[in-house]
Amino acid sequence: MAFHQGALEGSTIDVGTGVRINYFDSGGDGPPVVILHGLAGSAREFFPTADALPDFRTILIDLRGHGRSTRRPSDLSRKAFVDDVVYVIKAVVGGPVTLVGQSMGGHTAMLVAAGRSDLVTRLVLLETGPGSGTHTQNEAMGDFFRSWPLPFPNREVARAHIGHGPLEQAWVDDLEQCSDGLWPRFDADVMVAAINAVSEPRWHEWESVEGPTLVAYGENGMFTPDEKSEFVRRGRNAVRIDLAGASHDAHLDAFEDWIAALRSFLLP
């Protein structure tokens, strides 16, 4: 199935405590690859990545609080995110996978690999670190989302307000049509609470990951040179690749280089 042409509703699974997780599954007999998006994103922005991996069975997950999964879960802890991914892997795939994650999705993937090495054979982390940031910075991000004049009457107005870059386009494309207009598929306060839980560095977990790991950074991403070097140095089995000219959202604005790096790791 080509994700950009397939049904956009995906499938949902009840993971307990009133939370349903939405996912998209390409099907097929290829090796399974599970992909996790970042904060305020959704599985939809990785449709092109999945389409570029026809040799694999790709499963794209809408993390809790995002996309078409439960919008306002009561638990936004790191453990809750990890447990969701473990549940989907076990229920949908039933065995070990290559796990790919970007930003907060990469942080989640790292914790899954650390806690459930039996379910993760290989790990790909795009623009990921051990955890950082302050609650003040996170509230500023929340204020940005709260500044959107919602609902938007149409995508043209949304694009004029949000912007025209690759990340902004992904937000516009994923807006949900409701009776009164277009709304994002996330709530600002939920995003702030979710990212606040990432503020605590999780070096112990990262240093315990034994499986082969690709760590990819955008040249113009959110991490400093020292942060990138330290993270890779402290990984047990990590190799690094830098994507020239890319931002924190390299899967959107450096797509060809991202796919080349990903495929070279998946198909050595």
Side-chain angles (χ1 to χ4, degrees):
M1 180 184 83
F3 279 98
H4 65 279
Q5 296 175 347
L8 293 182
E9 292 307 313
S11 303
T12 61
I13 189 168
D14 188 342
V15 299
T17 64
V19 174
R20 295 191 66 81
I21 297 298
N22 188 78
Y23 66 92
F24 301 86
D25 185 352
S26 71
D29 298 325
V33 177
V34 174
I35 303 180
L36 311 179
H37 62 82
L39 185 79
S42 77
R44 191 183 193 281
E45 68 193 62
F46 278 95
F47 283 4
T49 293
D51 285 341
L53 301 175
D55 305 318
F56 298 85
R57 177 188 178 188
T58 51
I59 296 97
L60 312 180
I61 297 177
D62 280 329
L63 300 176
R64 59 172 54 205
H66 297 75
R68 293 155 182 82
S69 293
T70 296
R71 188 180 184 103
R72 300 189 63 83
S74 59
D75 189 352
L76 291 164
S77 66
R78 293 280 69 215
K79 182 178 184 302
F81 280 85
V82 168
D83 288 348
D84 291 344
V85 175
V86 169
Y87 194 103
V88 173
I89 292 174
K90 292 172 68 176
V92 176
V93 181
V97 304
T98 294
L99 190 54
V100 180
Q102 183 258 345
S103 192
M104 189 184 78
H107 192 267
T108 304
M110 175 189 76
L111 297 180
V112 173
R116 293 300 305 265
S117 60
D118 59 312
L119 294 178
V120 181
T121 55
R122 289 178 294 183
L123 182 64
V124 180
L125 304 177
L126 174 60
E127 277 286 303
T128 302
S132 61
T134 68
H135 287 206
T136 299
Q137 292 170 327
N138 297 339
E139 280 295 340
M141 175 207 65
D143 289 341
F144 166 67
F145 291 134
R146 294 184 192 102
S147 74
W148 292 5
L150 301 173
F152 294 113
N154 54 58
R155 295 188 194 279
E156 289 69 29
V157 172
R159 191 172 294 109
H161 181 84
I162 297 174
H164 297 270
L167 174 60
E168 291 78 10
Q169 185 61 51
W171 280 329
V172 171
D173 288 344
D174 207 32
L175 290 170
E176 181 180 11
Q177 181 69 61
C178 299
S179 60
D180 58 348
L182 295 167
W183 292 82
R185 295 183 183 272
F186 56 83
D187 291 334
D189 61 325
V190 173
M191 297 300 96
V192 171
I195 199 61
N196 279 344
V198 184
S199 298
E200 176 189 355
R202 304 294 286 267
W203 285 113
H204 174 73
E205 288 87 346
W206 168 231
E207 291 170 346
S208 73
V209 175
E210 296 183 348
T213 303
L214 173 66
V215 182
Y217 288 113
E219 180 184 9
N220 303 314
M222 67 176 289
F223 297 97
T224 68
D226 287 345
E227 288 171 335
K228 297 175 186 179
S229 296
E230 183 180 17
F231 186 71
V232 176
R233 178 181 63 81
R234 292 174 69 166
R236 285 193 179 189
N237 194 8
V239 295
R240 171 179 169 181
I241 189 165
D242 295 286
L243 304 176
S247 74
H248 184 61
D249 300 284
H251 61 296
L252 299 176
D253 61 24
F255 180 74
E256 297 300 330
D257 288 344
W258 156 242
I259 292 301
L262 182 58
R263 287 188 62 85
S264 68
F265 182 72
L266 296 178
L267 297 167

